[in-house]
Each structure stands twice: as structure tokens, then as C-alpha cells.
Amino acid sequence: MADVNQGSVLPSETSPPALDGLNATDSNGTDAVNATVAKFVATPEGTALAYGSLVFMALLPIFFGALRSVSCGKSKVAGENGCDYEYRMNMPETITGRDAARFPIIASCTLFGLYLFFKIFSQEYINLLLSMYFFVLGILALSHTMSPFMNRIFPANIPIKQYQLLFTQGSGETKEEIVNYEFDTKDMICLVISTVVGVWYILKKHWIANNLFGLAFALNGVELLHLNNISTGCILLGGLFVYDVFWVFGTNVMVTVAKSFEAPIKLVFPQDLLEKGLGASQFAMLGLGDIVIPGNLKKNTRTYFHTSFLAYIFGLGLTIWVMHTFKHAQPALLYLVPSCIGFPVVVALLKGELTEMFSLTSDLSLQDHSAWRLK
């Protein structure tokens, strides 16, 4: 989860602290975050631009990821809106309350494991392996993100050819498919563009390439992560709330991992952009876990979608305000969790829908209910 850190220098020597965050994600979605701030004095304009841009970028995958999740769910039979065939026919496994309760434990084990790895092995080689891993994942995530837009802008006069990548094991009756991937010309173009971005990131580690991959990861996370109901989301957020606060305030594990880990699992924006342009190097950061996890409570009715959306903005803004006031590291989920749960609960109480809110699914693509549609 994202957190903020004033640094160890005197306040008179530093700029207003940046909203920083790193998020380490394994195959189970585990994440870890922390922050560092260099001895750099940012202008008020540069600081406002960096914070405003981070908030704006955080809202993009939440909004469009939720809409794409609904769109893919509605078109799973018709095959519309650029949804993948595998996604239409095989919906991702839904997270249950039991899974949500285990999630912070898995996250803690993964975080501590990374901490030990960085302590024992060479940081250079570990980051090389992680870079290649996220290079492949980033290309696939960005390609999937671009696919619906490519479907809309692809010229109608260009013929679309179909391709198939098939890898089997054995022969005859014992033949078994290992990989069976079908794609077309539009998918090829998306893959080529994504690969160019990936090479750019590997070679330069440029912040724009990092953000393109980060936004793709976040949007896919909001779109493809499914909760069986709102209660499960609250369990998940509650557990990660404790996880985030403990590892930020209780140990130096997050700080160590965050300083060592290099991967596009955060959104960054330079505070010195106005002075140095695209070559800026002093960044404010926000971890992807602070986008994907709260973002999955937003796929419900229009009223609760808007309420949760405003709650997220309020929680992120409160994180920045507290950071500036107390000049100390602040885990973003410390403020996002109460906001994203509290605001909808208050609205549900006022509407007399508290029981319905907690019992119905948080994901419209998995349930068709007349009272809970994003109309």
C-alpha cells in the first residue's frame, strides 16, 4: 500500500513530502509498499502537479476497470466490446471470504520472503529476474488494456487475419493441449506496441513507460478481480488495513523491500517536471495495491459507485494532508479503508439498504439484479 515519508533530514532541508508507494505483487496479488524522499525542495506548483496527477491516474483504472468489468460480463455470450474469448467463456475464480481472510497472511509471508531474499542475495540479480518477469506481464497487460480501443480505431479497409498459437504434448489419443491461443491482426499490433513500451522500460526505466505498465496492471486488476460479495471486500480491506499499518509502523521490512525493489508496480509523477521536463527525477509515488484493492468495491449501483468514488478521493486526499501536517510516513490504506467502507455504509443506512449492500455481489458482471445495476 502506498505510504508517505518525510525522510530523515530536518524539515527545513526538505520539500513537502511526496506521496510514495511501492507495491510488490506475486501471483496471488500480494503487495508491499513504502516510501523514500530525497533531499529535494519542490516548488508548490510542482508538488501540486505531482499530487494531482497521481490522484487523477489512480482514478482512471478504477473507473474504466469497473466499466470494462461490467461490459465484459454483459457481452460474455455475444463476444462484444473486445473481451477475450477465454475471459468470456471462463470467468476468473471468485474471491471468497475465506480467501480474503488468508490474503494478508500470504501478503506478509511474501513481503518477508522478499526481505530475506534482498538481505541474502545480490540485489542486482534479483531485480534483473523481476524486471524480466514484469516485462512479460506488462506486455500482456498493456496489450489486453489496448485491445478494446484498437477494435474501435482499426481501419475497416484493412483485412483482419486470424492466427493460432498451438503447443501440444504427446500424439494421437494421448495428445494434450498445453497452449492454445487464438489472436488476430489487431492483437498483433497491440502486442508490438506493448513490446516497444516494454523494451523502453527495460532500457531506460523511464517514468512514463513505468506508468503505462502500472496503469495497465491496475486496470486489469480492477477488471478481472472478482469478489463474491461486499462483505468479502470488507474482510479483504480490513485485513490489509492491519497488514499495511503493521509493516509500515512496526518494522523496517517494507522500507528495505521498497528501496530494493525495482518494478512497474507503482505510479510515479515527478515533482520537478516544471523545471526539468521529461528528464525529471524527483518522484511522488503511489502503490498499485492502493488502487486495485479499494477499486474492487466500486462495481455496484450508480449511487454506491459514485459514493465509493468520492470516498476514494477523500481518503487519498486525507493521506496527503496528514503526511504534510505530521511529516511522517502514512500508509494510504489507513485512510482509504475507513473511507471506502464508511461512506457507502452511511449511504446504505440512510437508504435503509444496509443488509442488501453487504449481501449482494460487488461485481455486476457476475450477477444480474434489477436493484443493483450501473444504469
Tab-separated table of all heavy atoms in Angstrom, residues 229-280:
chain	number	residue	atom	x	y	z
A	229	ASN	N	-19.059	-11.007	-2.748
A	229	ASN	CA	-19.992	-10.024	-2.212
A	229	ASN	C	-19.224	-8.900	-1.532
A	229	ASN	O	-18.002	-8.965	-1.385
A	229	ASN	CB	-21.008	-10.657	-1.242
A	229	ASN	CG	-20.342	-11.437	-0.136
A	229	ASN	OD1	-19.408	-10.969	0.501
A	229	ASN	ND2	-20.821	-12.654	0.091
A	230	ILE	N	-19.948	-7.876	-1.115
A	230	ILE	CA	-19.315	-6.724	-0.484
A	230	ILE	C	-18.664	-7.102	0.834
A	230	ILE	O	-17.627	-6.558	1.211
A	230	ILE	CB	-20.352	-5.598	-0.265
A	230	ILE	CG1	-20.905	-5.121	-1.610
A	230	ILE	CG2	-19.736	-4.421	0.472
A	230	ILE	CD1	-19.904	-4.466	-2.510
A	231	SER	N	-19.259	-8.035	1.559
A	231	SER	CA	-18.691	-8.463	2.840
A	231	SER	C	-17.280	-9.002	2.656
A	231	SER	O	-16.384	-8.728	3.466
A	231	SER	CB	-19.579	-9.528	3.480
A	231	SER	OG	-20.853	-9.027	3.782
A	232	THR	N	-17.060	-9.760	1.585
A	232	THR	CA	-15.727	-10.279	1.301
A	232	THR	C	-14.746	-9.136	1.063
A	232	THR	O	-13.604	-9.167	1.530
A	232	THR	CB	-15.765	-11.200	0.069
A	232	THR	OG1	-16.597	-12.322	0.349
A	232	THR	CG2	-14.375	-11.680	-0.301
A	233	GLY	N	-15.200	-8.114	0.338
A	233	GLY	CA	-14.351	-6.950	0.108
A	233	GLY	C	-13.982	-6.253	1.403
A	233	GLY	O	-12.846	-5.798	1.578
A	234	CYS	N	-14.931	-6.178	2.328
A	234	CYS	CA	-14.656	-5.536	3.611
A	234	CYS	C	-13.666	-6.352	4.435
A	234	CYS	O	-12.790	-5.785	5.107
A	234	CYS	CB	-15.957	-5.350	4.389
A	234	CYS	SG	-17.088	-4.161	3.644
A	235	ILE	N	-13.788	-7.685	4.373
A	235	ILE	CA	-12.825	-8.551	5.066
A	235	ILE	C	-11.427	-8.354	4.487
A	235	ILE	O	-10.433	-8.250	5.213
A	235	ILE	CB	-13.257	-10.025	4.953
A	235	ILE	CG1	-14.561	-10.266	5.710
A	235	ILE	CG2	-12.164	-10.953	5.481
A	235	ILE	CD1	-15.150	-11.644	5.482
A	236	LEU	N	-11.366	-8.302	3.155
A	236	LEU	CA	-10.085	-8.122	2.477
A	236	LEU	C	-9.448	-6.789	2.848
A	236	LEU	O	-8.265	-6.717	3.202
A	236	LEU	CB	-10.288	-8.218	0.966
A	236	LEU	CG	-9.048	-8.040	0.087
A	236	LEU	CD1	-8.030	-9.134	0.380
A	236	LEU	CD2	-9.437	-8.063	-1.387
A	237	LEU	N	-10.235	-5.727	2.785
A	237	LEU	CA	-9.714	-4.413	3.118
A	237	LEU	C	-9.314	-4.324	4.590
A	237	LEU	O	-8.290	-3.722	4.926
A	237	LEU	CB	-10.745	-3.337	2.796
A	237	LEU	CG	-10.874	-2.923	1.332
A	237	LEU	CD1	-11.956	-1.861	1.182
A	237	LEU	CD2	-9.548	-2.403	0.795
A	238	GLY	N	-10.134	-4.916	5.462
A	238	GLY	CA	-9.806	-4.880	6.884
A	238	GLY	C	-8.505	-5.582	7.194
A	238	GLY	O	-7.676	-5.087	7.972
A	239	GLY	N	-8.296	-6.751	6.570
A	239	GLY	CA	-7.054	-7.477	6.790
A	239	GLY	C	-5.847	-6.734	6.264
A	239	GLY	O	-4.798	-6.671	6.920
A	240	LEU	N	-5.977	-6.146	5.086
A	240	LEU	CA	-4.862	-5.401	4.515
A	240	LEU	C	-4.627	-4.079	5.244
A	240	LEU	O	-3.517	-3.556	5.233
A	240	LEU	CB	-5.123	-5.143	3.027
A	240	LEU	CG	-5.021	-6.395	2.149
A	240	LEU	CD1	-5.364	-6.065	0.703
A	240	LEU	CD2	-3.630	-7.005	2.226
A	241	PHE	N	-5.666	-3.559	5.877
A	241	PHE	CA	-5.513	-2.380	6.729
A	241	PHE	C	-4.529	-2.686	7.867
A	241	PHE	O	-3.577	-1.937	8.113
A	241	PHE	CB	-6.882	-1.982	7.289
A	241	PHE	CG	-6.861	-0.874	8.296
A	241	PHE	CD1	-6.947	0.448	7.891
A	241	PHE	CD2	-6.760	-1.145	9.654
A	241	PHE	CE1	-6.936	1.480	8.825
A	241	PHE	CE2	-6.746	-0.130	10.589
A	241	PHE	CZ	-6.832	1.185	10.176
A	242	VAL	N	-4.756	-3.811	8.552
A	242	VAL	CA	-3.861	-4.219	9.636
A	242	VAL	C	-2.472	-4.536	9.091
A	242	VAL	O	-1.453	-4.137	9.665
A	242	VAL	CB	-4.442	-5.438	10.378
A	242	VAL	CG1	-3.470	-5.939	11.446
A	242	VAL	CG2	-5.785	-5.091	11.002
A	243	TYR	N	-2.426	-5.245	7.974
A	243	TYR	CA	-1.160	-5.602	7.329
A	243	TYR	C	-0.331	-4.365	7.004
A	243	TYR	O	0.859	-4.286	7.310
A	243	TYR	CB	-1.474	-6.404	6.062
A	243	TYR	CG	-0.403	-6.413	5.006
A	243	TYR	CD1	0.609	-7.356	5.026
A	243	TYR	CD2	-0.425	-5.482	3.961
A	243	TYR	CE1	1.586	-7.381	4.042
A	243	TYR	CE2	0.536	-5.499	2.981
A	243	TYR	CZ	1.542	-6.436	3.021
A	243	TYR	OH	2.506	-6.451	2.048
A	244	ASP	N	-0.971	-3.382	6.397
A	244	ASP	CA	-0.267	-2.175	5.967
A	244	ASP	C	0.275	-1.391	7.156
A	244	ASP	O	1.437	-0.977	7.169
A	244	ASP	CB	-1.223	-1.303	5.148
A	244	ASP	CG	-0.487	-0.472	4.118
A	244	ASP	OD1	0.593	-0.892	3.676
A	244	ASP	OD2	-0.995	0.604	3.763
A	245	VAL	N	-0.566	-1.198	8.159
A	245	VAL	CA	-0.158	-0.419	9.328
A	245	VAL	C	0.982	-1.127	10.070
A	245	VAL	O	1.965	-0.496	10.483
A	245	VAL	CB	-1.357	-0.190	10.270
A	245	VAL	CG1	-0.899	0.453	11.580
A	245	VAL	CG2	-2.401	0.692	9.588
A	246	PHE	N	0.877	-2.453	10.223
A	246	PHE	CA	1.905	-3.193	10.960
A	246	PHE	C	3.261	-3.121	10.265
A	246	PHE	O	4.281	-2.813	10.887
A	246	PHE	CB	1.481	-4.654	11.132
A	246	PHE	CG	2.570	-5.522	11.698
A	246	PHE	CD1	2.872	-5.488	13.047
A	246	PHE	CD2	3.302	-6.371	10.876
A	246	PHE	CE1	3.883	-6.278	13.576
A	246	PHE	CE2	4.320	-7.168	11.390
A	246	PHE	CZ	4.613	-7.120	12.743
A	247	TRP	N	3.281	-3.416	8.961
A	247	TRP	CA	4.564	-3.477	8.274
A	247	TRP	C	5.163	-2.103	8.018
A	247	TRP	O	6.375	-1.997	7.803
A	247	TRP	CB	4.411	-4.238	6.956
A	247	TRP	CG	4.193	-5.700	7.134
A	247	TRP	CD1	3.046	-6.398	6.903
A	247	TRP	CD2	5.143	-6.668	7.603
A	247	TRP	NE1	3.212	-7.728	7.195
A	247	TRP	CE2	4.489	-7.933	7.629
A	247	TRP	CE3	6.467	-6.597	8.007
A	247	TRP	CZ2	5.132	-9.099	8.035
A	247	TRP	CZ3	7.110	-7.764	8.416
A	247	TRP	CH2	6.443	-8.991	8.425
A	248	VAL	N	4.350	-1.053	8.049
A	248	VAL	CA	4.885	0.299	7.890
A	248	VAL	C	5.405	0.840	9.218
A	248	VAL	O	6.518	1.367	9.309
A	248	VAL	CB	3.819	1.259	7.315
A	248	VAL	CG1	4.301	2.711	7.385
A	248	VAL	CG2	3.518	0.888	5.874
A	249	PHE	N	4.596	0.722	10.276
A	249	PHE	CA	4.956	1.320	11.552
A	249	PHE	C	5.705	0.367	12.485
A	249	PHE	O	6.444	0.810	13.363
A	249	PHE	CB	3.696	1.821	12.270
A	249	PHE	CG	3.059	3.002	11.613
A	249	PHE	CD1	1.686	3.037	11.401
A	249	PHE	CD2	3.813	4.082	11.192
A	249	PHE	CE1	1.091	4.130	10.797
A	249	PHE	CE2	3.234	5.174	10.582
A	249	PHE	CZ	1.867	5.202	10.377
A	250	GLY	N	5.500	-0.943	12.314
A	250	GLY	CA	6.053	-1.891	13.270
A	250	GLY	C	7.440	-2.409	12.943
A	250	GLY	O	8.155	-2.868	13.840
A	251	THR	N	7.836	-2.387	11.668
A	251	THR	CA	9.129	-2.946	11.268
A	251	THR	C	9.758	-2.077	10.177
A	251	THR	O	9.148	-1.138	9.678
A	251	THR	CB	8.961	-4.375	10.709
A	251	THR	OG1	8.331	-4.293	9.415
A	251	THR	CG2	8.103	-5.226	11.629
A	252	ASN	N	10.971	-2.434	9.812
A	252	ASN	CA	11.646	-1.766	8.689
A	252	ASN	C	11.612	-2.632	7.437
A	252	ASN	O	12.317	-2.364	6.468
A	252	ASN	CB	13.100	-1.451	9.050
A	252	ASN	CG	13.941	-2.722	9.148
A	252	ASN	OD1	13.414	-3.803	9.416
A	252	ASN	ND2	15.235	-2.600	8.953
A	253	VAL	N	10.791	-3.690	7.453
A	253	VAL	CA	10.761	-4.633	6.336
A	253	VAL	C	10.280	-3.958	5.064
A	253	VAL	O	10.884	-4.088	3.992
A	253	VAL	CB	9.867	-5.845	6.681
A	253	VAL	CG1	9.681	-6.738	5.454
A	253	VAL	CG2	10.472	-6.641	7.820
A	254	MET	N	9.181	-3.198	5.147
A	254	MET	CA	8.662	-2.532	3.957
A	254	MET	C	9.657	-1.524	3.397
A	254	MET	O	9.813	-1.399	2.185
A	254	MET	CB	7.339	-1.840	4.269
A	254	MET	CG	6.134	-2.714	4.077
A	254	MET	SD	4.633	-1.728	3.995
A	254	MET	CE	3.438	-3.012	3.749
A	255	VAL	N	10.301	-0.791	4.289
A	255	VAL	CA	11.272	0.215	3.843
A	255	VAL	C	12.388	-0.461	3.056
A	255	VAL	O	12.773	-0.007	1.976
A	255	VAL	CB	11.848	0.980	5.048
A	255	VAL	CG1	12.925	1.954	4.589
A	255	VAL	CG2	10.748	1.707	5.783
A	256	THR	N	12.905	-1.555	3.579
A	256	THR	CA	14.001	-2.265	2.923
A	256	THR	C	13.588	-2.808	1.557
A	256	THR	O	14.302	-2.644	0.564
A	256	THR	CB	14.489	-3.422	3.812
A	256	THR	OG1	14.885	-2.909	5.080
A	256	THR	CG2	15.648	-4.154	3.171
A	257	VAL	N	12.423	-3.464	1.508
A	257	VAL	CA	11.947	-4.022	0.240
A	257	VAL	C	11.669	-2.917	-0.766
A	257	VAL	O	12.004	-3.030	-1.947
A	257	VAL	CB	10.689	-4.884	0.467
A	257	VAL	CG1	10.094	-5.333	-0.860
A	257	VAL	CG2	11.022	-6.091	1.332
A	258	ALA	N	11.048	-1.825	-0.290
A	258	ALA	CA	10.682	-0.739	-1.196
A	258	ALA	C	11.907	-0.087	-1.821
A	258	ALA	O	11.906	0.268	-2.999
A	258	ALA	CB	9.875	0.307	-0.442
A	259	LYS	N	12.966	0.066	-1.028
A	259	LYS	CA	14.179	0.694	-1.548
A	259	LYS	C	14.929	-0.236	-2.502
A	259	LYS	O	15.695	0.225	-3.347
A	259	LYS	CB	15.109	1.083	-0.392
A	259	LYS	CG	14.596	2.226	0.452
A	259	LYS	CD	15.567	2.537	1.573
A	259	LYS	CE	15.093	3.718	2.408
A	259	LYS	NZ	16.014	4.029	3.524
A	260	SER	N	14.709	-1.535	-2.375
A	260	SER	CA	15.450	-2.508	-3.177
A	260	SER	C	14.700	-2.964	-4.415
A	260	SER	O	15.309	-3.363	-5.412
A	260	SER	CB	15.782	-3.741	-2.315
A	260	SER	OG	16.455	-3.376	-1.133
A	261	PHE	N	13.381	-2.909	-4.365
A	261	PHE	CA	12.535	-3.497	-5.406
A	261	PHE	C	12.377	-2.538	-6.576
A	261	PHE	O	11.976	-1.395	-6.410
A	261	PHE	CB	11.168	-3.814	-4.808
A	261	PHE	CG	10.371	-4.798	-5.608
A	261	PHE	CD1	10.439	-6.151	-5.349
A	261	PHE	CD2	9.541	-4.372	-6.633
A	261	PHE	CE1	9.689	-7.066	-6.075
A	261	PHE	CE2	8.797	-5.267	-7.367
A	261	PHE	CZ	8.873	-6.622	-7.085
A	262	GLU	N	12.680	-3.030	-7.788
A	262	GLU	CA	12.522	-2.235	-9.000
A	262	GLU	C	11.567	-2.946	-9.941
A	262	GLU	O	11.906	-3.968	-10.523
A	262	GLU	CB	13.876	-2.024	-9.689
A	262	GLU	CG	14.868	-1.201	-8.889
A	262	GLU	CD	16.181	-1.020	-9.620
A	262	GLU	OE1	16.256	-1.455	-10.803
A	262	GLU	OE2	17.121	-0.477	-9.038
A	263	ALA	N	10.363	-2.395	-10.076
A	263	ALA	CA	9.357	-2.992	-10.958
A	263	ALA	C	8.248	-1.969	-11.175
A	263	ALA	O	8.043	-1.077	-10.339
A	263	ALA	CB	8.797	-4.279	-10.362
A	264	PRO	N	7.524	-2.067	-12.283
A	264	PRO	CA	6.435	-1.117	-12.563
A	264	PRO	C	5.170	-1.452	-11.780
A	264	PRO	O	4.107	-1.680	-12.350
A	264	PRO	CB	6.230	-1.268	-14.068
A	264	PRO	CG	6.599	-2.686	-14.347
A	264	PRO	CD	7.723	-3.002	-13.403
A	265	ILE	N	5.303	-1.491	-10.439
A	265	ILE	CA	4.160	-1.816	-9.593
A	265	ILE	C	3.779	-0.594	-8.757
A	265	ILE	O	3.257	-0.732	-7.654
A	265	ILE	CB	4.454	-3.039	-8.713
A	265	ILE	CG1	5.895	-3.083	-8.230
A	265	ILE	CG2	4.194	-4.310	-9.497
A	265	ILE	CD1	6.291	-2.029	-7.306
A	266	LYS	N	4.011	0.559	-9.334
A	266	LYS	CA	3.649	1.820	-8.699
A	266	LYS	C	3.407	2.848	-9.794
A	266	LYS	O	3.895	2.706	-10.916
A	266	LYS	CB	4.768	2.296	-7.772
A	266	LYS	CG	6.091	2.534	-8.499
A	266	LYS	CD	7.220	2.844	-7.572
A	266	LYS	CE	8.536	3.038	-8.325
A	266	LYS	NZ	9.006	1.834	-9.012
A	267	LEU	N	2.637	3.882	-9.469
A	267	LEU	CA	2.502	5.036	-10.340
A	267	LEU	C	3.395	6.131	-9.790
A	267	LEU	O	3.458	6.348	-8.581
A	267	LEU	CB	1.047	5.514	-10.376
A	267	LEU	CG	0.014	4.530	-10.927
A	267	LEU	CD1	-1.378	5.162	-10.900
A	267	LEU	CD2	0.369	4.067	-12.333
A	268	VAL	N	4.094	6.808	-10.670
A	268	VAL	CA	5.007	7.869	-10.241
A	268	VAL	C	4.746	9.129	-11.061
A	268	VAL	O	4.263	9.057	-12.202
A	268	VAL	CB	6.484	7.438	-10.396
A	268	VAL	CG1	6.767	6.183	-9.595
A	268	VAL	CG2	6.836	7.197	-11.863
A	269	PHE	N	5.052	10.259	-10.446
A	269	PHE	CA	4.976	11.514	-11.187
A	269	PHE	C	6.015	12.464	-10.605
A	269	PHE	O	6.111	12.616	-9.389
A	269	PHE	CB	3.587	12.149	-11.100
A	269	PHE	CG	3.325	13.153	-12.189
A	269	PHE	CD1	2.780	12.757	-13.401
A	269	PHE	CD2	3.658	14.487	-12.018
A	269	PHE	CE1	2.566	13.663	-14.422
A	269	PHE	CE2	3.449	15.402	-13.029
A	269	PHE	CZ	2.898	14.985	-14.238
A	270	PRO	N	6.816	13.117	-11.471
A	270	PRO	CA	7.916	13.955	-10.979
A	270	PRO	C	7.434	15.269	-10.374
A	270	PRO	O	6.551	15.928	-10.915
A	270	PRO	CB	8.750	14.210	-12.241
A	270	PRO	CG	7.791	14.048	-13.373
A	270	PRO	CD	6.808	13.001	-12.944
A	271	GLN	N	8.051	15.634	-9.270
A	271	GLN	CA	7.782	16.929	-8.655
A	271	GLN	C	8.591	18.043	-9.311
A	271	GLN	O	8.280	19.220	-9.120
A	271	GLN	CB	8.102	16.875	-7.161
A	271	GLN	CG	7.179	15.951	-6.374
A	271	GLN	CD	7.570	15.895	-4.914
A	271	GLN	OE1	8.612	15.352	-4.559
A	271	GLN	NE2	6.733	16.450	-4.063
A	272	ASP	N	9.629	17.676	-10.049
A	272	ASP	CA	10.463	18.674	-10.721
A	272	ASP	C	10.212	18.694	-12.227
A	272	ASP	O	11.093	19.073	-13.004
A	272	ASP	CB	11.945	18.419	-10.434
A	272	ASP	CG	12.376	16.996	-10.771
A	272	ASP	OD1	11.500	16.129	-10.967
A	272	ASP	OD2	13.587	16.742	-10.846
A	273	LEU	N	9.006	18.294	-12.639
A	273	LEU	CA	8.679	18.272	-14.066
A	273	LEU	C	8.741	19.668	-14.679
A	273	LEU	O	9.204	19.839	-15.811
A	273	LEU	CB	7.284	17.677	-14.263
A	273	LEU	CG	6.778	17.595	-15.706
A	273	LEU	CD1	7.589	16.569	-16.497
A	273	LEU	CD2	5.301	17.232	-15.752
A	274	LEU	N	8.273	20.670	-13.959
A	274	LEU	CA	8.251	22.031	-14.486
A	274	LEU	C	9.659	22.578	-14.693
A	274	LEU	O	9.878	23.422	-15.568
A	274	LEU	CB	7.469	22.944	-13.534
A	274	LEU	CG	5.997	22.567	-13.306
A	274	LEU	CD1	5.355	23.512	-12.297
A	274	LEU	CD2	5.235	22.586	-14.618
A	275	GLU	N	10.603	22.093	-13.888
A	275	GLU	CA	11.977	22.573	-14.020
A	275	GLU	C	12.799	21.762	-15.013
A	275	GLU	O	13.587	22.318	-15.781
A	275	GLU	CB	12.688	22.529	-12.656
A	275	GLU	CG	12.138	23.494	-11.616
A	275	GLU	CD	10.948	22.920	-10.871
A	275	GLU	OE1	10.599	21.739	-11.115
A	275	GLU	OE2	10.358	23.642	-10.044
A	276	LYS	N	12.604	20.427	-15.048
A	276	LYS	CA	13.475	19.558	-15.841
A	276	LYS	C	12.767	18.848	-16.983
A	276	LYS	O	13.402	18.108	-17.732
A	276	LYS	CB	14.121	18.514	-14.919
A	276	LYS	CG	15.012	19.125	-13.854
A	276	LYS	CD	15.694	18.039	-13.032
A	276	LYS	CE	16.605	18.621	-11.976
A	276	LYS	NZ	17.277	17.565	-11.172
A	277	GLY	N	11.459	19.038	-17.110
A	277	GLY	CA	10.737	18.401	-18.195
A	277	GLY	C	10.687	16.895	-18.048
A	277	GLY	O	10.634	16.360	-16.941
A	278	LEU	N	10.728	16.176	-19.167
A	278	LEU	CA	10.605	14.718	-19.147
A	278	LEU	C	11.808	14.034	-18.517
A	278	LEU	O	11.750	12.838	-18.209
A	278	LEU	CB	10.404	14.188	-20.577
A	278	LEU	CG	9.114	14.629	-21.281
A	278	LEU	CD1	9.039	14.019	-22.673
A	278	LEU	CD2	7.887	14.235	-20.460
A	279	GLY	N	12.877	14.781	-18.302
A	279	GLY	CA	14.062	14.222	-17.646
A	279	GLY	C	14.031	14.369	-16.140
A	279	GLY	O	15.043	14.153	-15.470
A	280	ALA	N	12.901	14.713	-15.584
A	280	ALA	CA	12.771	14.911	-14.138
A	280	ALA	C	13.087	13.620	-13.391
A	280	ALA	O	12.922	12.521	-13.924
A	280	ALA	CB	11.359	15.382	-13.807
